Amino acid sequence: MNKQISLLLVDDDEIMNFVSSVILKRYFQSVEPKVVLNGKEALNYLESCVQNNTSKIPTHVLLDINMPVMDGLTFLQVFNQTEKFKQLSVKIAILTTSLRSSDHEAAFKYKQVTHFLEKPLSKEKLEEFIKG
Amino acid sequence: MKTDFKLNNSQLYAAIGLVIVFCIDLCIPLGVAIGVLYLACFLLVSRQTKNIILIFAIIGCVLILAKLAVYYTPDTSWMVFANRSISVFAVIMTTCLVIQRRNLFEKTNKEREDHLHLIEETKNKLEAFQQAIDTYLLCTLTDTQGTIIYANKSFCEIAKYSEDELLGQNHRIINSGYHPQEFFNQMWQTIASGNVWRGEIKNKAKDGTFYWVATVILSLKDKNGKIIQYFSMRMDITDKKQLEESFFKEKQEMECFTYVAAHDLKTPVVNMATLANMMEETNGISEEAKVFLDKIKLSVKQMQNTISKLNDVIAFKKNISEQSEDLSLRNELNDVLSSIEYSIKTANAKINYDFSEVPHIYFPKIQLHSIFQNLITNGIKYHKPGVSPVIDIQSKSNKGNICLIVKDNGMGLDLSLYKEKIFGLFKRFHSDIDGKGIGLYIVKSIVENNGGKIDVHSNVNEGTTFIISLNPTTQKLEL
């Protein structure tokens, strides 16, 4: 199933990132995750990928909402406004502890957002996101 | 009773008059009609009391007849008798006229005195009012342009201007710049149309300090109904405002604190739980370590439970401002039942409902869901051991109120012990059941926020009945 999956993990909580990485390593060995700590870093990474035109351009993004520097919702807004990202086909899942309905609604306004997952990440949740 | 025989001037002159007329009478022949001269004396006593007038009349009559008695001879003509009688008659007539006039005078005099008394009383009252107002209220009078034409002492004191500095100035002199222009536009609109304006205004004193006043502005009209002046009364509420501000700040801090506690703790706790699970799955972990691990997992679970409680309360506080809408009780209940289908099935619970009496309700949707969900899960959670839970839900109309009745067959509560506490935050009464202790708190808050009341009847082992009564007038029922 893991054909050409490249995953970008955007979360400021490093332990959560560690947990997510362990799950990926255990159950999705072919998926190579790239970890960044906030929305700004995610944008920078995506930009460098597009510039270098590497095969590593993320196909899936796991995005936290509450982050310092740039939060998840702002990331989604900037991502959608940036011309050079429009060619990318990316699936985004929100991964958060916030179950606020306002966050939920705001995130699903963006067409790339397909899932809203509650932390912690699990094998089942990830499978659903990658397969679905 | 002591009678005072002292004569005043007019009485004295009148008495002298009587004596003089009598002397003249004695000097001239009996036939002359001298009686008319006695009448002149009444001019002098006309302002005296009735008794004095009467005494003078009697003396006059006696003197007229005395002359006749002294000079009477058998030859005296009948004309003399007639003459004297006419004189006496004239005296009596004059007396009557004078007394009548006297009465009239007394009456108007009394009326005038009453009037004066009333005016005096009213004036005293007004002065007392003004004193009271001046002590407690800050008053100004302005013309229609807002120019100050009167300012009382309290007003000058708080604004820290002298009266001379204020008179002739526009009211803008104390404008703090705190309120937007629309605020004052709206105020002018209200008072210019003759209505009373009320509001709280932040003003600036001469030394630059600010003060808050609760203000009432009335328009004063002339007899044609045209507004000529505005009268404003204010009360100093600076202390109240400061208290409000600090209360608001504290409330915000508290909310922020709760949010941080609930939200920021969530991530590390989730991490701990996941790490503990992962650790359990690694190989080569000793039996002893497994026991510790179990304890860690238990502690984490407790923490998650507490955080989840806090989050429920926060979520509930967020929903409190939700708008009411016309809701079908049956539809909303069905929505709730399908969302908790799993726990209903697991507990083998039976939910009966009858909304035939009142099928609709005007209420905030999420809050109605919350009421149903909390009361039903409560009934399921606290069922009697070995007995499947049965919950009856009914809507009733009672004296114009709408009642929602939720009755379960659970273990019940001894209300003599818990009645005050049952709706409290984080209160639980059955330690062996995994409850959060916020359900009833939320239900009560929702009901009271919507102007209703909640009551509970319960006995140990006989189930619990919750009765929620809502007043359709306070919740604007629209059917």
Side-chain angles (χ1 to χ4, degrees), chain B residues 77-139:
Chain B
S77 141
W78 65 272
M79 279 185 286
V80 171
F81 283 100
N83 219 334
R84 294 278 148 179
S85 302
I86 289 167
S87 294
V88 168
F89 181 69
V91 167
I92 293 168
M93 281 299 289
T94 312
T95 308
C96 288
L97 280 173
V98 168
I99 286 177
Q100 195 189 22
R101 186 174 155 270
R102 170 80 236 162
N103 281 345
L104 209 67
F105 172 74
E106 268 175 8
K107 205 177 142 207
T108 34
N109 220 20
K110 193 170 176 301
E111 269 173 16
R112 211 177 56 200
E113 259 172 34
D114 284 352
H115 244 99
L116 281 174
H117 197 67
L118 196 72
I119 290 172
E120 183 72 14
E121 242 175 46
T122 316
K123 201 180 132 217
N124 287 344
K125 244 187 236 170
L126 280 176
E127 269 171 4
F129 270 124
Q130 196 184 356
Q131 207 175 6
I133 286 174
D134 278 345
T135 314
Y136 291 104
L137 299 176
L138 326 165
C139 305

Side-chain angles (χ1 to χ4, degrees), chain A residues 7-52:
Chain A
L7 191 134
L8 177 63
L9 194 55
V10 191
D11 195 338
D12 62 309
D13 187 68
E14 303 206 32
I15 297 174
M16 186 62 83
N17 287 338
F18 168 76
V19 168
S20 303
S21 306
V22 170
I23 290 175
L24 281 164
K25 219 180 275 170
R26 270 195 199 169
Y27 306 109
F28 304 87
Q29 272 126 3
S30 62
V31 177
E32 181 75 11
K34 165 73 186 172
V35 179
V36 292
L37 296 178
N38 59 57
K40 185 96 191 138
E41 284 185 18
L43 287 172
N44 291 343
Y45 176 73
L46 285 168
E47 206 174 319
S48 70
C49 284
V50 171
Q51 259 169 15
N52 303 333

